[in-house]
Amino acid sequence: MQPTPAAPEHSESELLQFRREKLEGLVKTGIDPFGGRFDTTHQPGALKADFTEGLDVRVAGRVLSRREMGKATFFDLGDITGRIQCYLSKGDVGDEAYVQFNQLIDIGDFVGVEGLSFITKRGERSIHVKKLTPLSKALRPLPDKWHGVTDKEIKYRQRYLDLISNDRSREIFVTRSKMVASIRSYLQERGFLEVETPMMQDVPGGAAAKPFETFFHALNQPMFLRIAPELYLKRLLVAGFTQIFELNRNFRNEGLSRRHNPEFTMLEAYWAYADFEKMADLVEGMICHLAENFCGGLKIEHKDEEGNVTKTIDLTRPWRRARYTDLLKGIDPQWYEYTPEQRKARAQELGVEIGANFEDYEVTQHVFERLIEAKQFDPLYVTHCPKELVPLAKQNAEDGSIVDVYELVINGQEISPGYSELNNPIVQRDRLEHQAGEETQKIDEEFILALEHGMPPAGGIGIGIDRLIMMLTGAESIRDVILFPQLKRRD
């Protein structure tokens, strides 16, 4: 017996031409290839997940696969919720409609079906189609159904193709959306009010970062995309708000990496009359709430592309808390006995690169980041950091060289800072002037003016949502949790 010859492979231009011809074929039969409204009773994945046999259903979606078997055709209909099998019989829809589907409808086209939910002899939850309506013609083919989008450039630049073909990507982004909604609910249930503050600011404050610049023509002045909402949220504490949060975008013009995107989602929350320790309790409870509701528990497995577990992050409470200085002494018990020059030399002995102009606290921070933070996977609250690192936090009452803060480290990176907020306007001005150096225009005088009217003691937090989602979903690149990450424009 001679083997069946393989089907000839067509060029991309030929495939595009075939689809154009099918488009014309639909038009000739009186069918609008880009149709209109189609009322549905269910979404494909939702119907399959919560299945009841014998329902009259109307479902729309994209044709994702097709298997023709003589006078019957099985095809999968899907959207972001998942897919469900459909059974189309010539005897049910008639010869003309059956031929139209098999000859003029391609994988990737959108259709609407009306029919009855049933379970096949093989136990597959399905729809027995009684009527089929073409809704939108796809003029380009979808990615290979088995391999999906493997080219990283296409994966991130044409995210819609990745979402169509990659179950894992769809799962991550649906989960992200639900987690963000849950964060809002968690805070609102505890008395926090969501607010909105300006994304265009005349002074970029609240963090030490390079801003994106723009120009406001109506005001005839330069403006900046915000690097943080902090200084505006604190104005609201001055106004009498006691529990507030904002969950929105920040912009920092500082490059790209596996863990950095210049446009990112940040949660900031402030609680009047609280402190950094109370904020740490809030964050710990919230992240565990997310893990238990969306990750199946407090043990978060990270896997490679083959599905092998590479590490497990244990979120079991209570989370460890340790002072910054004690952690450095764990690297070298004599660290704080050295002179600044000796610390530079010791850092280099430990394999940490140090810039020639680094100040002493920067040397120590680099050692912390490379040898402690990067190697810490289970949750760790690093507390009582040097005041130079956090100019907006309150100094410790017993040691003026440190501030009452935490830095939450999970999965080798900072997930959340938390402060006992500085509310002394005199000290605040001194700190900001030191941070700004000669660039006095960076000092937000309106913020200082507000602070001089009195701000209550307060606790504050920030949480990088993208990094949090990475940790909870096992994604190893920030681009895998941002729907449309920043990419260099194609020429």
Side-chain angles (χ1 to χ4, degrees):
M1 179 182 294
Q2 294 295 320
T4 302
E9 292 190 5
H10 298 286
S11 67
E12 182 179 10
S13 61
E14 288 175 326
L15 292 174
L16 297 179
Q17 181 59 33
F18 293 155
R19 288 185 177 243
R20 295 278 181 171
E21 291 170 358
K22 292 180 181 181
L23 173 73
E24 294 171 3
L26 288 171
V27 173
K28 288 178 181 178
T29 60
I31 296 173
D32 182 356
F34 303 103
R37 172 173 171 170
F38 184 88
D39 293 330
T40 63
T41 60
H42 301 79
Q43 292 177 290
L47 174 60
K48 185 174 182 178
D50 187 17
F51 192 81
T52 301
E53 194 171 10
L55 289 179
D56 287 316
V57 298
R58 290 172 58 89
V59 180
R62 192 188 289 273
V63 177
L64 297 176
S65 67
R66 178 166 61 198
R67 304 168 299 284
E68 189 175 355
M69 304 172 66
K71 295 182 180 181
T73 297
F74 288 90
F75 63 95
D76 283 357
L77 200 64
D79 64 10
I80 197 69
T81 66
R83 62 172 70 194
I84 191 166
Q85 178 176 271
C86 297
Y87 169 76
L88 182 73
S89 167
K90 184 183 293 188
D92 291 318
V93 299
D95 291 351
E96 183 179 359
Y98 187 76
V99 170
Q100 285 174 353
F101 177 78
N102 283 295
Q103 294 187 359
L104 301 179
I105 300 299
D106 287 300
I107 290 176
D109 291 359
F110 283 90
V111 301
V113 301
E114 301 174 48
L116 196 67
S117 60
F118 81 110
I119 298 177
T120 66
K121 293 179 181 179
R122 294 187 176 183
E124 181 72 17
R125 298 175 178 186
S126 307
I127 300 173
H128 191 145
V129 179
K130 302 298 182 181
K131 184 179 179 181
L132 184 141
T133 305
L135 295 176
S136 186
K137 185 69 181 171
L139 300 182
R140 289 182 176 271
L142 297 182
D144 179 271
K145 67 178 179 180
W146 300 115
H147 301 100
V149 176
T150 56
D151 186 310
K152 292 288 187 182
E153 174 78 7
I154 295 175
K155 177 183 175 72
Y156 299 133
R157 195 176 296 280
Q158 294 177 268
R159 177 68 82 184
Y160 48 90
L161 296 180
D162 177 47
L163 293 170
I164 290 169
S165 62
N166 189 328
D167 292 342
R168 177 61 179 150
S169 286
R170 288 199 300 273
E171 178 186 341
I172 285 176
F173 287 109
V174 170
T175 299
R176 176 188 173 120
S177 180
K178 292 178 179 178
M179 283 184 177
V180 170
S182 183
I183 289 170
R184 284 192 162 96
S185 297
Y186 189 89
L187 292 171
Q188 289 165 345
E189 288 167 4
R190 285 155 182 77
F192 285 83
L193 182 70
E194 184 172 11
V195 297
E196 295 177 313
T197 63
M199 287 195 180
M200 280 202 306
Q201 303 176 355
D202 61 343
V203 178
K210 183 179 180 180
F212 286 92
E213 300 179 32
T214 185
F215 193 85
F216 200 144
H217 289 282
L219 298 178
N220 193 34
Q221 68 182 40
M223 298 288 282
F224 305 89
L225 296 183
R226 74 176 182 198
I227 55 178
E230 179 168 348
L231 303 189
Y232 281 91
L233 291 170
K234 287 181 175 178
R235 287 166 165 86
L236 297 180
L237 292 178
V238 172
F241 288 81
T242 56
Q243 291 176 259
I244 52 174
F245 75 94
E246 183 168 7
L247 209 170
N248 218 316
R249 296 300 179 90
N250 288 353
F251 307 85
R252 297 183 185 179
N253 196 1
E254 296 180 336
L256 295 161
S257 76
R258 186 172 63 86
R259 294 181 172 182
H260 296 87
N261 196 66
E263 176 184 1
F264 61 97
T265 302
M266 175 67 77
L267 165 70
E268 287 202 16
Y270 294 86
W271 193 346
Y273 317 116
D275 64 2
F276 80 100
E277 292 181 314
K278 194 169 184 177
M279 302 308 287
D281 293 338
L282 177 73
V283 169
E284 187 170 328
M286 183 174 68
I287 293 177
C288 288
H289 172 79
L290 294 175
E292 289 169 336
N293 282 275
F294 297 101
C295 307
L298 298 179
K299 303 290 180 70
I300 311 298
E301 292 184 344
H302 286 214
K303 300 178 181 180
D304 60 22
E305 293 182 357
E306 285 72 41
N308 302 310
V309 177
T310 57
K311 61 188 169 189
T312 299
I313 298 170
D314 188 352
L315 300 181
T316 302
R317 304 178 73 180
W319 293 354
R320 181 187 172 202
R321 303 187 186 192
R323 285 180 172 248
Y324 183 89
T325 51
D326 291 340
L327 292 167
L328 266 298
K329 289 176 183 177
I331 297 295
D332 185 334
Q334 297 178 292
W335 184 261
Y336 287 100
E337 298 174 17
Y338 297 139
T339 65
E341 288 305 315
Q342 288 174 325
R343 271 191 282 272
K344 280 187 178 181
R346 181 65 178 132
Q348 291 171 339
E349 289 176 4
L350 292 169
V352 178
E353 293 186 15
I354 300 300
N357 298 321
F358 276 14
E359 293 189 40
D360 188 38
Y361 76 90
E362 292 176 305
V363 173
T364 298
Q365 178 63 7
H366 263 61
V367 171
F368 168 78
E369 289 174 347
R370 303 300 188 275
L371 302 183
I372 299 173
E373 181 179 275
K375 298 181 179 181
Q376 181 68 38
F377 294 101
D378 291 342
L380 169 64
Y381 281 114
V382 181
T383 67
H384 301 92
C385 298
K387 66 179 182 180
E388 293 89 351
L389 296 176
V390 195
L392 295 168
K394 186 184 288 288
Q395 283 178 266
N396 181 266
E398 298 175 358
D399 183 350
S401 69
I402 60 177
V403 286
D404 289 339
V405 302
Y406 75 72
E407 177 183 322
L408 174 60
V409 178
I410 313 177
N411 192 30
Q413 59 187 344
E414 182 187 38
I415 295 293
S416 166
Y419 304 169
S420 292
E421 298 294 342
L422 178 58
N423 60 339
N424 182 329
I426 300 171
V427 175
Q428 182 66 89
R429 176 180 288 281
D430 289 342
R431 296 258 196 96
L432 291 177
E433 286 177 347
H434 178 74
Q435 185 186 53
E438 296 180 0
E439 299 182 73
T440 55
Q441 74 276 11
K442 286 187 176 181
I443 298 174
D444 190 333
E445 294 292 347
E446 291 294 328
F447 169 65
I448 298 295
L449 176 63
L451 213 57
E452 289 175 348
H453 285 83
M455 188 186 95
I461 59 166
I463 297 181
I465 297 299
D466 307 312
R467 288 185 177 182
L468 177 63
I469 302 298
M470 285 174 64
M471 185 273 291
L472 290 172
T473 62
E476 292 303 316
S477 171
I478 197 168
R479 291 182 174 184
D480 292 328
V481 300
I482 295 175
L483 278 169
F484 300 103
Q486 297 294 336
L487 301 168
K488 187 174 182 179
R489 184 172 58 195
R490 284 191 292 206
D491 295 330

